[in-house]
Amino acid sequence: MRLLTTREAVPLLLVAAIAAVLPLLGSDYYLGVGFILFGWIALAQSWTVVSGLAGYISLGHVVFAGIGGYVLVLTWGAVPVWAGALLGALAAGLFALLVGLPVLRVRGPYFVILTFGLAEFAKYVVINIENALGRFGRLILGGPPLETLYWAMAALALAGTLAVVAIRRLRLGAGLVAIREDELAADTIGVPTVRFKLFAFALSALLPGFVGALFVLRTGYFEPAQAFDPVISFTIVTMAIVGGSADARGPVFGALFLVALSELLWSNFPQVYMIVLGALLVGFVLFAPNGVAGLFERRRAAAAAPAGG
Amino acid sequence: MLRVERVGKSFGGVRALQDVSFTVPESSIFGIMGANGAGKTTLFAIIAGNLAPSSGSVRLGDLRLTGLPPHRVAAAGVARTFQIVRPFRGLSVQENVETALRFGARDRPAAAMADAAGILDLTGLDGVAGRPAGALTLAQQKRLEVARALATGPRLLMLDEVMAGLTPAEVQDTIAMVRRIRADRGVTVMIIEHVMGALMALSDHVVVLDHGETIAAGPPAQVADDPAVRSAYLGRRH
């Protein structure tokens, strides 16, 4: 087996190259854009583990980022910054383990709705806790500088990409794909479906917890409605639709595409941004259901067809 | 090797199986006959762990299979095919087999991992290995069911109507394939089939189910002459 196949090397190299190049441009603007881009890549790769590979489409992935951010502000001052972020990631993973067993019993649209509802539920729980405490938003001052956050987020994006590449090679990945294709048949050939799903769900919560903590460090502010904003979940799904979610390429393509689009349009033509986004979504769902990565695949298959018959 | 002991299954008020008992000898080809709705597929689902019986138990050697989830039954060395095929449609034929090779029976030789080519050859799918499973013909998908089950490295292979809907020539090929599976791999085979001639030709032992009950058991020739079987299949006047 080759060390890395093209579909594995492309996303890894792309993330590493972008991470290396952006700081050379010498402006905080590019570091800020890069920080956001890597945040989305890390989120979308995590989502891909449970939704792309195992086919359980989560529409509530923001909940893990929200928990990560919340744990960071709760532990702010009590533990070192990075320990707080790590605790946020672990708390998100633990939450996924706890809710995973009941939630992963349902499939298809029921799972979609349940994850969405769960994230909203968590949001209102946090809002009410904060209200009861008389806290309306928390400021954190003296977080790490942008450059540090940039490299931390780049590391998370690379870790997420590497995780998807690795999982796809492991028995775990083969089992998750079998679950996506036909869960009953997967179980019957020996895939421990319950254990694999739960593990994938918890795994897909860890990095988002970390990302959420970094987002809070970047803005210097925690506000539940913003940290648990469902639009974040929708955006992750949009990236998967645009980029694809069968392997590690899709999330990188999707995040790149959407971040570039929003940087170009949002600043110049804010009124058409949502229209363009909507049209793109419809277009991709209709004409390229496997995203940009799927288009590459199709071209390769077409090129191979005359030879292979 | 497999002992089915007084297995019963009710769906609400409907009794799909009642007090079914038999033993499948090691390395035999064991046929299960019966009209539609006789409970044949239900029986396979119970043995494989897809369904829990309402009463009775199933043992593989010393191991009690009843109550184990399907993946544990597979790990013990039991594989089944699905009458209504359930391939991993988005994966290639090769990937279907490779996935099953990574799971399935717990103890098998390390060499088994490199066995995809042998299995595809045995099931006559070597020519379509790269094709998506969803794009195969029904006859090919039925053979993929067998290939995937075989790739789990079973001691006991349960085939659920793998010949239904095939042409007579394809039926002959499938009979030869089942014989080869037993000869080459020493696998015990349980087979449900509507193609009566094929079942009689293949099986060492046969049980006949009718409305969830065993009405006859024994070597094929003896069962074919059994008056209870004749009346179940042909009506009382014969």
Side-chain angles (χ1 to χ4, degrees), chain B residues 69-210:
Chain B
H71 69 268
R72 297 277 306 279
V73 176
V78 176
R80 72 171 288 201
T81 68
F82 291 96
Q83 180 187 359
I84 297 160
V85 295
R86 310 187 71 117
F88 301 137
R89 292 181 178 278
L91 303 185
S92 72
V93 169
Q94 173 107 17
E95 287 167 334
N96 267 267
V97 171
E98 282 172 352
T99 303
L101 279 171
R102 302 183 84 165
F103 295 93
R106 188 110 339 123
D107 17 85
R108 58 176 147 161
M113 271 310 291
D115 200 24
I119 289 171
L120 291 173
D121 185 47
L122 182 57
T123 50
L125 291 169
D126 39 346
V128 292
R131 210 169 289 174
L136 299 182
T137 65
L138 181 64
Q140 289 169 329
Q141 290 189 353
K142 293 231 165 197
R143 271 183 281 153
L144 178 57
E145 284 284 329
V146 180
R148 194 177 57 187
L150 210 49
T152 66
R155 296 163 59 199
L156 173 68
L157 176 64
M158 299 193 287
L159 304 175
D160 195 349
E161 297 213 9
V162 289
M163 300 180 203
L166 302 189
T167 65
E170 289 167 339
V171 168
Q172 287 310 313
D173 288 347
T174 308
I175 290 176
M177 177 185 79
V178 174
R179 289 209 169 109
R180 242 177 309 141
I181 286 172
R182 172 169 65 168
D184 294 0
R185 296 172 184 255
V187 177
T188 307
V189 179
M190 281 176 81
I191 182 163
I192 292 175
E193 208 50 68
H194 261 136
V195 183
M196 187 93 70
L199 195 75
M200 291 299 184
L202 263 175
S203 306
D204 308 315
H205 302 264
V206 175
V207 294
V208 185
L209 296 180
D210 187 39

Side-chain angles (χ1 to χ4, degrees), chain A residues 196-264:
Chain A
F196 272 26
K197 285 191 297 183
L198 194 60
F199 190 63
F201 197 53
L203 215 54
S204 85
L206 285 176
L207 281 185
F210 223 118
V211 171
L214 293 191
F215 275 151
V216 169
L217 286 172
R218 169 82 171 116
T219 54
Y221 191 77
F222 176 84
E223 201 275 308
Q226 190 187 324
F228 288 86
D229 187 351
V231 171
I232 295 175
S233 299
F234 302 157
T235 307
I236 296 172
V237 178
T238 308
M239 286 173 174
I241 290 173
V242 169
S245 59
D247 53 52
R249 290 173 305 179
V252 177
F253 294 160
L256 262 175
F257 193 87
L258 254 79
V259 169
L261 187 76
S262 92
E263 286 305 313
L264 292 175

Side-chain angles (χ1 to χ4, degrees), chain A residues 169-171 174-175 177-178 180-182 184-193 195-196, chain B residues 48 50 69-71 74 78 80 82 86-91 99-100 102-104 148 152:
Chain A
R169 285 194 172 198
L170 296 173
R171 204 164 162 268
V177 168
R180 176 188 74 205
E181 294 291 322
D182 190 321
L184 176 65
D187 208 352
T188 305
I189 65 163
V191 179
T193 51
R195 196 164 9 115
F196 272 26
Chain B
N50 299 124
H71 69 268
V78 176
R80 72 171 288 201
F82 291 96
R86 310 187 71 117
F88 301 137
R89 292 181 178 278
L91 303 185
T99 303
R102 302 183 84 165
F103 295 93
R148 194 177 57 187
T152 66

